Amino acid sequence: FEDFDVASHSVAADGTRNISRAFTLGPGEYRLFVGWADPAAPKGATPIHVMSRRLSLPAASTAALTVSSVIIADAVAGREAPYPPAQQAAHPYSIGATDITPARDAVFTPDERLAVAFQVINAQPSDTGKPDVGVDFRIVRVDGEREVAVASLNPQSYTEASMPADFDLRLGHPLFVAVGAPLATVPRGNYRLKITVNDRRAGVARLADASFTVAGTPLSLLA
């Protein structure tokens, strides 16, 4: 796989540049190389930067209930319409009408919000293609090997009554779960968001989690 982008304009709110691209691979072991340079610099004097990362893509189950990787996000929002196919590769975290802005790290301050998004795969459909899935969320504080429950987020339910009329799992429509919560009342420390996905129609449950840290700010430390 090889791709080029000579006009990326993805800039974060703090002025740093985030570049996102998608590509499709089958199961296997890979090494990804990313190289970049300033095309406006004089020819022959442009430093070329290269980074690499190993990727391990296990074979996916085709039948069992599965939860995707949990994306820790700065924001999760809805779009009026999905990106057209020609633009989709440049927006890998815009999936259908769900627009996800991944966080660059998992460290938050008390004035920020924790947001996560993930896909529930292979939920059993009803006769009309609708799921019957419940999702529970718990935040636990991690202290070495100990976990202490500190909060529960509002559970979510994806059913015949709550899904859009044209949603149909049998047609491959993705079932995405997104949740956000303020961190103003969460003390500094290391935490884990523990997720339970229950496919009530199939009688099967799956677990997932995402680790994050709440760090102090000068104002919160003074308070």
Side-chain angles (χ1 to χ4, degrees):
F1 173 88
E2 192 172 39
D3 194 12
F4 296 90
D5 175 14
V6 296
S8 178
H9 300 290
S10 302
V11 180
D14 61 0
T16 59
R17 186 177 297 279
N18 294 322
I19 300 173
S20 298
R21 287 296 178 271
F23 53 92
T24 302
L25 298 172
E29 302 295 323
Y30 299 89
R31 183 183 287 274
L32 170 68
F33 291 92
V34 180
W36 69 96
D38 181 2
K43 187 175 181 180
T46 305
I48 298 174
H49 309 273
V50 179
M51 62 161 284
S52 68
R53 178 166 296 181
R54 290 187 180 277
L55 300 178
S56 179
L57 303 180
S61 167
T62 58
L65 180 70
T66 306
V67 179
S68 73
S69 300
V70 178
I71 301 172
I72 297 179
D74 284 332
V76 179
R79 292 183 53 81
E80 291 186 3
Y83 282 103
Q87 299 179 23
Q88 183 63 60
H91 301 88
Y93 294 100
S94 290
I95 304 160
T98 303
D99 203 4
I100 304 167
T101 304
R104 283 177 295 168
D105 56 42
V107 180
F108 297 87
T109 55
D111 57 346
E112 293 182 304
R113 287 176 59 87
L114 170 70
V116 300
F118 56 91
Q119 185 178 359
V120 177
I121 303 166
N122 294 330
Q124 186 169 316
S126 68
D127 293 339
T128 59
K130 303 298 188 293
D132 186 5
V133 170
V135 186
D136 294 314
F137 307 91
R138 289 190 304 124
I139 295 177
V140 298
R141 185 174 181 128
V142 180
D143 183 8
E145 297 297 322
R146 296 177 61 245
E147 291 185 349
V148 179
V150 297
S152 295
L153 308 185
N154 290 332
Q156 297 190 7
S157 188
Y158 299 83
T159 65
E160 192 94 26
S162 64
M163 302 303 293
D166 59 350
F167 182 88
D168 195 331
L169 288 170
R170 300 168 300 178
L171 299 179
H173 294 172
L175 177 56
F176 269 89
V177 176
V179 67
L183 297 171
T185 60
V186 179
R188 289 176 295 152
N190 297 318
Y191 295 88
R192 186 171 293 126
L193 177 65
K194 308 196 80 169
I195 302 164
T196 303
V197 176
N198 183 17
D199 185 346
R200 294 180 286 242
R201 181 168 290 110
V204 177
R206 291 290 182 268
L207 304 178
D209 61 63
S211 298
F212 66 97
T213 298
V214 177
T217 63
L219 286 177
S220 68
L221 292 174
L222 288 172

